[in-house]
Amino acid sequence: MQTIKDVNPNRLPKHVAIIMDGNGRWAKQRGRLRIFGHENGVEAVRQTVENCARISIDFLTLYAFSTENWNRPKKEVQTLMKLLVSSLKKELDTLNKNNIRLRAIGNIDSLPQKAQIELEEVMQRTEKNSGMTLTLALSYGSREELKTAVKAISIKVKNNIISTDNIDDTVINTHLYTHFLPDVDLLIRTSGEHRISNFLLWQIAYAELFFIDVFWPDFREHHLVQAILSYQNRERRFGKTSEQLH
Ligand code: IPE
Ligand code: IPE
Ligand code: MG
C-alpha cells in the first residue's frame, strides 16, 4: 500500500477539493441508518485533513453540505448540522496544532445559529495560522454562487463602478465565495459516482478529476495518496500541445 512517502513533494497539487460522498450507502451496507454513515464520515475528514497538511497541500476544500442537501429528510439535516458543531468544537486544537486555517464557503447565513457561531469562533481562532487553508463548503451550490456574483457585478456596472469591458476572469473570481482560493488542481469524488453535483463549476475548469469507488467513511491515507500519485502522472496541457510543454 502506498503512503505519503511515495508522493513527489515537487509536483503537488496546490488546491485539492473533495466531494465526500457515500456515507448513506456505507451505513446501509451495514444495515444501519444513514446517520451512522455521517457519524463515521467524521473520522475520514479528520484523517484526510491531517494527511493533506502532512503532505503540505496548501488548500483543501471539502464539500460538506450542498444547497440541494436541504431537501433531505429534516432529521438527517439536523444530524448533519449537529455533527458540524460537535466536530468544530472537537477539532479546534488539532487545527491549531497543525497550523491550519479554517474558512467556509456557501450561504453561511442559512445555517442554524449554533453552527454559524461555532464556525465563526473556529475561523477566528485559526485565522493567524499560516499552513494549510481548510475550506468547508456548507450550504454551497455553484449555481447560487454564480448567480450572486452576476448580480453583484451587474449592480457595480449599473453604478459605474466597473465597465462591462473590464469584466474578466479576475473580476469574476473576486465576486465568488472562493475569492481567496486558487483554481482547483485536483478534484476527488468518492463513492463511485461520476458527477460534480453543483460543486465549484467555475473553479474546476482545468482541474484533474479523480473518481474512486470507496464510500467516504472508508477513505484513508492510501486512497488520498493514490489520487495524488494519479495527478502527478498526468500531463496538464491547458489547451496546448504536448510538444509545447517540453
Ligand atoms: C455524503 O454522503 C454526505 C453528504 C452529502 C452530506 P451521502 O449522504 O450523500 O451518502 P450516499 O451518497 O447517499 O451514499
Ligand atoms: C454531493 O453529494 C454533496 C456533498 C458531498 C456534500 P450528493 O450525494 O448530495 O450528490 P448527488 O445527489 O448524488 O448528486
Ligand atoms: Mg450522496
Side-chain angles (χ1 to χ4, degrees):
M1 244 189 298
Q2 279 150 325
T3 69
I4 287 174
K5 287 196 213 81
D6 296 302
V7 170
N8 174 358
N10 301 315
R11 263 197 94 173
L12 291 176
K14 208 174 161 59
H15 184 182
V16 175
I18 309 182
I19 302 174
M20 309 181 291
D21 196 20
N23 293 351
R25 279 164 283 168
W26 185 91
K28 197 171 174 192
Q29 249 181 8
R30 288 159 178 77
R32 304 289 294 265
L33 296 173
R34 297 178 54 80
I35 289 166
F36 184 65
H38 297 314
E39 284 164 359
N40 281 275
V42 174
E43 179 57 22
V45 173
R46 221 185 52 70
Q47 293 194 22
T48 303
V49 169
E50 266 192 311
N51 286 330
C52 283
R54 277 171 64 206
I55 297 172
S56 298
I57 299 297
D58 288 333
F59 299 93
L60 172 65
T61 302
L62 300 177
Y63 204 6
F65 194 84
S66 74
T67 46
E68 289 74 22
N69 289 150
W70 288 114
N71 300 319
R72 292 193 176 190
K74 206 171 149 201
K75 183 93 203 326
E76 181 171 346
V77 172
Q78 277 173 350
T79 305
L80 284 166
M81 293 302 152
K82 264 195 211 144
L83 276 176
L84 171 66
V85 174
S86 62
S87 310
L88 285 168
K89 274 197 197 344
K90 244 191 272 163
E91 297 310 324
L92 175 62
D93 288 347
T94 320
L95 293 176
N96 280 327
K97 218 178 287 156
N98 288 289
N99 197 21
I100 298 168
R101 184 168 69 129
L102 185 79
R103 304 296 299 267
I105 54 171
N107 187 2
I108 303 305
D109 294 344
S110 67
L111 299 177
Q113 198 72 19
K114 255 193 178 166
Q116 289 187 44
I117 292 169
E118 202 56 49
L119 202 53
E120 193 51 51
E121 160 107 11
V122 178
M123 288 195 292
Q124 259 178 32
R125 291 176 65 179
T126 60
E127 203 175 39
K128 297 211 169 65
N129 292 342
S130 57
M132 186 172 83
T133 298
L134 166 64
T135 304
L136 298 181
L138 292 163
S139 190
Y140 175 87
S142 208
R143 288 190 165 183
E144 191 207 57
E145 176 182 43
L146 290 167
K147 275 182 281 189
T148 309
V150 170
K151 283 181 196 164
I153 295 169
S154 306
I155 290 169
K156 288 186 185 170
V157 169
K158 203 166 104 189
N159 295 332
N160 294 316
I161 297 166
I162 38 176
S163 83
T164 314
D165 290 342
N166 291 336
I167 299 174
D168 57 7
D169 286 16
T170 308
V171 169
I172 293 173
N173 276 326
T174 54
H175 287 85
L176 298 176
Y177 290 130
T178 53
H179 58 86
F180 59 95
L181 294 170
D183 278 354
V184 176
D185 296 303
L186 170 62
L187 174 69
I188 300 170
R189 182 172 188 146
T190 60
S191 92
E193 303 295 357
H194 297 164
R195 57 176 171 263
I196 304 299
S197 303
N198 203 12
F199 191 42
L200 303 174
L201 299 180
W202 166 273
Q203 300 86 340
I204 59 165
Y206 266 101
E208 295 297 328
L209 309 181
F210 185 85
F211 298 102
I212 184 164
D213 222 358
V214 296
F215 294 137
W216 177 251
D218 287 332
F219 191 81
R220 288 295 175 270
E221 174 183 335
H222 65 280
H223 300 118
L224 175 69
V225 169
Q226 198 185 323
I228 294 176
L229 291 181
S230 168
Y231 170 88
Q232 295 189 323
N233 280 319
R234 300 182 193 186
E235 181 178 66
R236 300 185 77 193
R237 290 192 286 278
F238 297 96
K240 293 182 180 169
T241 68
S242 187
E243 291 71 26
Q244 284 176 297
L245 301 171
H246 300 290

